Amino acid sequence: MAKNTIELKIKRQDGPNVAARWEEFSIPYKPNTNIISALMEVRRHPYTVQGQKTTPPVWDANCLEEVCGACSMIINGKVRQACSALIDHLEQPIALEPMTKFPLVRDLVVDRRRMFDALKRMHAWIPIDGTYNLGPGPRVDPNMQAGAYSLARCMTCGCCLEVCPQVTPTSKFIGAAAISQVRLFNMHPTGKMHARERLEALMGEGGLQDCGNAQNCVHACPKEIPLTESIAAMGRETTAYVLKRLFGG
Amino acid sequence: MATPAVWQFYLRRLHSLAGIFPIGVFLLEHFFGNAFATRGPEAYNRYVEFLLGMPYLPVLEIGLVFGPLLFHGIYGLFITAGGDAFHPAQGLGARYHNVAYLLQRITGIILLVYISYHVWNTRVQAVFFGQHVDYAYMARYLAPTYEKAVYIVGILCACYHFAHGLFNFAYKWGLTVSAKAQQAMTYASLVVFAAMSAVGIHILFSFK
Ligand code: HEM
Ligand code: SF4
C-alpha cells in the first residue's frame, strides 16, 4: 500500500500560560523521512488539513544523530528523540506532543533546566584544573572502562524523567539520569576524590531517596543505560557511606 | 560547601527499615502465632494466654508495633502524595514494576483502614471494653461472610505489600544491584506473597 502523504497531529501551545490545541497536517510522502524533516516540511508550508494558515510549529533539535537529547518529545504516546523516529516505522496519523515533566516554552519545546541544575548540584564532573598541574590520571582497567562507557552515553534527554511517577512538574526529584551520573563520576579514579561531596548532594532534597522503584526509566532510556542498576548501586554506596559515618572505619 | 538537608534521606530509610523491622517481623510472628488456630481452640487459647502474659507487654505493643506502624503508615501517605500513583507506563508496554508501584500505595492505604478495623475489634475491645478475646470470640466474630471477605482483602493486601516491600527494601538499600539479582528478587517476592496469602487464608478459615 503506497502512501503518498504523511499525516501528522501536533499539540500546539503558543506559550506556558495559554491553552493547548491539536492541529493536523498532511505533507507529501518522501521515503526515509524522520520526524524532524517532516516538521521542517510543515514549517515550510504551515497550513492545517482544513486549509487554514497557522504559525509554523516550533521544536528543539541539534545533533540529528541521537546524541544531544534536544529533540525529545512524545511521539505516538512514547517519549523518544524525533531525529531517530522514522516515519516508515510509525503508525499514522503520527501524534507529536511536548514532554510533560518540564516547563513548556512553546509547542514542542520544553525547558530541561531541572536536569542540568541537578547535574550541577551533584557535582557531575571531574575537576582536573588546580593551581598546579595535577599530572596524568591513574590507568583504568578495561572492565571499568566498559562499565563507565555505558553510563557516559547519557545525553540528558529527559526520557527517564518523563516516564517516572516520582517526577512531577512540582516534585523535586532529580530523576534517574543524575543518579546514574553520580555513579559514573564516583567510579572514576580521579572522580573518586570528590565522592563524598557527590554522595552528600545525592542524599539532599529531591535526591536518591525519592526513587519509588517503578523502574520505568530503564525501559525508556534510548541509550540503554542500566539505570536501575545505577540506582541500586547508589543505594549501596549511600548505605555504606552512612554506616561508615555512624560507626567509623 | 553548605551541606544539603539530609533529614529526608534518613526519614525515608527509616520508613523503609520500619517496613521490615519491626513491622514485617511482627507480621511474620502474627501469622505464625495465629496459625495455632489450625491446631484447635486449646492450642490457640494457650497462645493468646502466652501473648497476654508477656513481660513489658504495653512497651512492646506500643514501641514495636503501634508506634512504628503509625510512623510507617502516615509517612507512607506523604510518600504516596509525593508521586503520581496512577502514572501510565507511556508506550513502554505492561510493566510489572510500574503496576507494583501503584499496588504498593493502594495496598498501603487499604491496610491503614483494615488494620484500624482489625485492631479495633481484636485489641481495643479487649483493652478498653473488657472483651475477652479468645478462639470462641474470634470464631463468632469471623463467622459472617462479609467479615471473611474483609479479612481476605486485608490479608492479601498485607501479604502483597510486605512481599513486594522486600523487593523495594533490597533495591533501596543496594542489596540487589545487578539486573539479574533484581529479577530474582522480583520472583522471590511473588513466591513470598503466594505462600503468605495461602497461610493467612488458611488461618482465617480455621476459626470455626
Ligand atoms: C502490615 C503492615 C505493613 C508492612 C509489613 C509494611 C511493609 C513495608 C515494606 C517492607 C516496605 C518496603 C520498604 C521500602 O520501600 O524500602 C513498605 C513500603 C511502603 N509502605 Fe508499607 N508496610 C505496612 C503498612 C503500610 C501502611 C499502613 C501504609 C500506608 C499508606 C504503607 C505505605 C507504604 C509505602 C507508600 C511504601 C513505599 C515506600 C517507597 O516506595 O519508598 N505501608 N512497606
Ligand atoms: S539516562 Fe537515558 S533517558 Fe535518562 S537522560 Fe540520560 S540518555 Fe536520556
Side-chain angles (χ1 to χ4, degrees):
Chain A
M1 193 185 72
K3 268 225 169 90
N4 43 21
T5 58
I6 298 167
E7 311 293 326
L8 293 170
K9 259 173 70 181
I10 306 176
K11 195 172 183 185
R12 306 289 310 270
Q13 196 169 340
D14 293 338
N17 304 315
V18 216
R21 63 184 191 278
W22 283 93
E23 284 181 359
E24 291 169 42
F25 301 91
S26 181
I27 58 170
Y29 175 83
K30 261 189 246 155
N32 303 323
T33 304
N34 64 10
I35 294 293
I36 301 287
S37 38
L39 281 168
M40 288 163 82
E41 186 57 38
V42 173
R43 180 170 65 188
R44 224 169 277 135
H45 186 74
Y47 286 85
T48 66
V49 279
Q50 289 84 15
Q52 222 147 49
K53 189 170 167 57
T54 180
T55 49
V58 185
W59 70 92
D60 214 349
N62 197 358
C63 72
L64 302 182
E65 53 180 358
E66 205 192 85
V67 292
C68 78
C71 66
S72 309
M73 57 182 74
I74 300 173
I75 301 169
N76 280 354
K78 186 168 192 282
V79 66
R80 55 187 296 188
Q81 281 66 53
C83 63
S84 53
L86 299 178
I87 301 289
D88 292 334
H89 298 166
L90 293 167
E91 201 173 307
Q92 296 191 28
I94 301 162
L96 305 181
E97 298 166 74
M99 290 196 285
T100 60
K101 302 296 176 71
F102 305 95
L104 184 103
V105 177
R106 182 173 179 158
D107 290 343
L108 300 168
V109 180
V110 296
D111 183 355
R112 285 174 296 134
R113 185 176 304 165
R114 71 185 286 170
M115 294 190 79
F116 303 108
D117 285 345
L119 290 177
K120 280 188 228 166
R121 275 215 325 278
M122 295 308 121
H123 204 96
W125 65 87
I126 297 172
I128 48 168
D129 296 324
T131 49
Y132 58 94
N133 186 354
L134 294 175
R139 282 184 155 270
V140 172
D141 81 77
N143 262 337
M144 202 224 105
Q145 283 176 8
Y149 181 71
S150 74
L151 304 179
R153 286 177 306 198
C154 177
M155 52 188 178
T156 328
C157 67
C159 291
C160 54
L161 273 71
E162 181 63 27
V163 297
C164 176
Q166 290 289 102
V167 176
T168 68
T170 49
S171 80
K172 297 208 160 116
F173 184 38
I174 57 172
I179 295 170
S180 191
Q181 290 304 295
V182 173
R183 182 185 184 203
L184 170 65
F185 289 106
N186 275 11
M187 64 164 65
H188 189 279
T190 314
K192 261 194 189 98
M193 294 175 187
H194 292 83
R196 234 197 74 146
E197 268 130 290
R198 291 193 199 94
L199 291 181
E200 291 275 346
L202 191 62
M203 290 157 63
E205 197 180 23
L208 178 66
Q209 67 277 5
D210 282 1
C211 170
N213 313 352
Q215 304 217 329
N216 291 337
C217 52
V218 72
H219 300 284
C221 177
K223 294 294 159 189
E224 292 172 1
I225 298 172
L227 294 170
T228 46
E229 292 189 3
S230 286
I231 292 168
M234 294 326 291
R236 179 178 288 186
E237 230 177 287
T238 47
T239 302
Y241 176 66
V242 165
L243 290 176
K244 222 168 168 176
R245 269 193 36 176
L246 281 176
F247 300 108
Chain B
M1 200 179 85
T3 352
V6 293
W7 62 270
Q8 289 172 344
F9 177 89
Y10 288 102
L11 210 56
R12 192 72 175 248
R13 284 287 172 104
L14 206 60
H15 176 263
S16 176
L17 181 65
I20 302 291
F21 180 84
I23 306 172
V25 172
F26 170 75
L27 188 67
L28 290 174
E29 185 283 320
H30 199 53
F31 273 46
F32 191 79
N34 277 280
F36 278 108
T38 64
R39 312 291 298 271
E42 294 80 37
Y44 187 76
N45 288 341
R46 266 200 306 279
Y47 165 67
V48 174
E49 304 252 302
F50 163 74
L51 275 189
L52 294 177
M54 279 199 340
Y56 311 116
L57 186 61
V59 179
L60 295 177
E61 267 192 317
I62 294 169
L64 287 182
V65 186
F66 293 131
L69 199 53
L70 223 54
F71 160 68
H72 181 91
I74 291 171
Y75 193 53
L77 293 179
F78 281 97
I79 293 173
T80 303
D84 177 4
F86 291 97
H87 200 283
Q90 306 149 316
L92 300 176
R95 299 240 60 88
Y96 170 70
H97 282 286
N98 194 53
V99 177
Y101 173 90
L102 172 63
L103 287 178
Q104 189 74 9
R105 281 145 183 81
I106 288 186
T107 54
I109 291 166
I110 295 175
L111 280 173
L112 216 48
V113 178
Y114 166 77
I115 294 172
S116 307
Y117 175 77
H118 174 59
V119 169
W120 172 265
N121 283 312
T122 58
R123 195 72 192 116
V124 175
Q125 294 296 331
V127 175
F128 296 103
F129 303 105
Q131 172 64 49
H132 190 62
V133 173
D134 58 3
Y135 185 94
Y137 170 80
M138 290 304 292
R140 226 179 318 120
Y141 162 51
L142 292 173
T145 312
Y146 77 87
E147 216 54 83
K148 289 249 175 23
V150 167
Y151 269 70
I152 288 174
V153 171
I155 289 166
L156 290 178
C157 284
C159 294
Y160 185 80
H161 190 92
F162 172 67
H164 185 65
L166 294 174
F167 169 86
N168 279 344
F169 180 86
Y171 183 58
K172 187 161 292 174
W173 293 72
L175 305 178
T176 50
V177 171
S178 72
K180 248 195 186 144
Q182 291 182 24
Q183 184 70 267
M185 194 63 200
T186 304
Y187 291 130
S189 77
L190 289 173
V191 170
V192 170
F193 168 56
M196 285 184 68
S197 299
V199 172
I201 290 170
H202 184 213
I203 296 171
L204 174 62
F205 283 93
S206 300
F207 289 102
K208 342 183 208 259

